[in-house]
Amino acid sequence: MIHVKARSSPYPGSQVQRFPVADGQVSWSVAWPEYQPVDYTAASVRAGPEWADPDFRKEGRAEHGPRFNALDGRIDRRSFLGLYELDEDKLPRNPMGRTGITSRGLLGKWGPNHAADPIITRWKREGDEKVIHELSGKPILQFVAIKRKDCGEWAIPGGMVDDGELVSTTLMREFGEEALDSLTASGPEKDRLRVLFKTIFSKEMAREVFAGYVDDPRNTDSAWMETVAANFHDDAGDSVGQLDLHAGDDAKHVQWSDIGQDLQLYATHSNFMKSVAELWDAHW
Ligand code: RP5
C-alpha cells in the first residue's frame, strides 16, 4: 500500500497545497534532490496544547529530548511497522514515504500518533430475521458510523489514545463520547452506560481486525496516524444494538450503516470493514 489520501491537497483545515508527489516518487529509496516539501504545522498545534510535542526542531532538542522508537515515559513513540528512520534533524521519517508536507500539520506528535477505532456491529434485521443480500446471499452487517465534524466524511467513531492510556480504554471512551454523547450523560445514565460498556467492551468480546499505519489525510513526512481497530459484535442485537445513538464530541451525526464495498469512509476505514465482513462471513 502506498498512501493516497496523505498526498491529497489542500491539507485538511487549511489552504496548504502539498508538494506534488507522484506514485513513483513516494518511496524514500527513490533519490529525488528536487523534492521540497512544504513546512506546515497548524496553529492549534503550535499553540502547544498538552497533547502535542514541542517543536523539537526549533529548539534543537531532537537529539537529546524525545526517545523515538521507544516508550518515552507515558508517550508511546513505537510504530506498528517496526523501527522507523530519523531524518537529518533527528526527527522521525514517515515509513510509508513522502507526503509533500513536512513538520506535523494537525498532528500533535512527531512520528506515530496512536489512535483506536471501535467497530460496533450487529446484524441487519427485519423483525427477527436477518436480512440477506440478494447478490451475495449473505447476511448484512451494520456498524455504528459517525459523520466527522472536521471533514464531513463518514467514519468509525475512533480517536486518539491519550498518553499512558490503554487502547482498550480508548476504544470504549471514544465510542461513548462520539456515538452516545456520554460527555453530557447525567448521573444514572452514566452508571447504566458504564455497566453496559463493561460487557460490550470486555476482552472476550474484542476482535482486533487491524493494527498499523493509516492512510490519513493529516499525515506528513514527519508525523502519521496508526491505529488499532477492534470489532465488538452484538450477535443477538439485544445489547449495544438497542442503544440510543447520540452524536457528540467530534461527531455531527451518528447512525447504523450497512457494511458493503460501496461504503465510502474516512482514511482507510473501509479496509477494516472488509476484514469485519470476512470475520463474520457477512455480505461485502
Ligand atoms: C484515523 O483518525 C484513525 O483511524 C481514527 O479513526 C482517527 C483518530 O483521529 P481523531 O478522530 O481523533 O481526529 O486515522
Side-chain angles (χ1 to χ4, degrees):
M1 173 188 104
I2 51 169
H3 46 228
V4 175
K5 300 198 178 178
R7 280 185 287 151
S8 59
S9 288
Y11 185 87
S14 78
Q15 294 305 315
V16 175
Q17 298 291 316
R18 291 172 186 266
F19 191 86
V21 180
D23 288 357
Q25 295 165 319
V26 171
S27 170
W28 296 110
S29 62
V30 176
W32 188 16
E34 300 81 21
Y35 179 54
Q36 282 190 325
V38 180
D39 194 313
Y40 176 63
T41 304
S44 55
V45 174
R46 278 188 276 122
E50 34 98 25
W51 46 267
D53 285 333
D55 190 346
F56 294 128
R57 200 177 35 180
K58 218 189 229 163
E59 303 180 8
R61 275 173 35 195
E63 213 159 342
H64 307 290
R67 292 177 56 227
F68 292 119
N69 283 306
L71 190 59
D72 184 11
R74 286 162 60 80
I75 306 174
D76 193 354
R77 300 193 189 276
R78 294 168 297 186
S79 167
F80 284 114
L81 300 184
L83 293 183
Y84 49 86
E85 292 176 358
L86 302 183
D87 64 16
E88 50 288 347
D89 293 319
K90 300 279 180 267
L91 288 166
R93 174 169 276 164
N94 187 327
M96 297 302 284
R98 299 181 176 98
T99 66
I101 284 196
T102 190
S103 289
R104 287 167 293 164
L106 281 164
L107 300 178
K109 305 280 193 293
W110 295 91
N113 286 253
H114 291 285
D117 284 300
I119 306 171
I120 312 298
T121 53
R122 70 178 185 189
W123 294 109
K124 184 174 190 174
R125 289 177 200 269
E126 264 168 23
D128 287 342
E129 296 296 312
K130 288 182 189 169
V131 177
I132 306 296
H133 195 274
E134 53 183 11
L135 294 178
S136 64
K138 292 186 173 181
I140 299 172
L141 272 178
Q142 297 185 315
F143 81 108
V144 176
I146 55 132
K147 196 170 190 154
R148 294 179 62 100
K149 271 187 193 159
D150 58 354
C151 58
E153 287 186 80
W154 287 94
I156 300 164
M160 300 293 187
V161 180
D162 291 340
D163 296 345
E165 187 177 46
L166 288 173
V167 169
S168 52
T169 307
T170 317
L171 288 164
M172 194 157 69
R173 179 176 57 71
E174 286 291 336
F175 183 73
E177 289 174 7
E178 297 193 349
L180 303 175
D181 202 9
S182 63
L183 292 174
T184 57
S186 61
E189 177 61 5
K190 253 198 175 132
D191 292 343
R192 195 178 74 88
L193 289 177
R194 202 169 294 140
V195 174
L196 189 74
F197 273 25
K198 272 208 173 134
T199 330
I200 299 162
F201 289 93
S202 65
K203 264 199 188 122
E204 298 70 43
M205 291 286 282
R207 286 179 171 75
E208 189 175 303
V209 291
F210 181 79
Y213 182 94
V214 186
D215 182 22
D216 188 291
R218 294 168 294 186
N219 291 352
T220 71
D221 287 2
S222 343
W224 61 91
M225 292 296 307
E226 299 198 6
T227 198
V228 173
N231 175 219
F232 302 86
H233 180 60
D234 178 8
D235 200 55
D238 57 3
S239 59
V240 71
Q242 293 290 331
L243 276 174
D244 278 343
L245 303 175
H246 293 285
D249 199 32
D250 298 336
K252 66 174 170 189
H253 292 300
V254 60
Q255 68 180 38
W256 287 97
S257 294
D258 293 359
I259 294 182
Q261 51 189 286
D262 47 348
L263 272 179
Q264 301 274 334
L265 298 178
Y266 182 72
T268 33
H269 289 185
S270 303
N271 299 353
F272 309 159
M273 292 307 152
K274 185 166 190 249
S275 304
V276 172
E278 281 166 7
L279 180 67
W280 297 103
D281 197 20
H283 166 69
W284 174 246

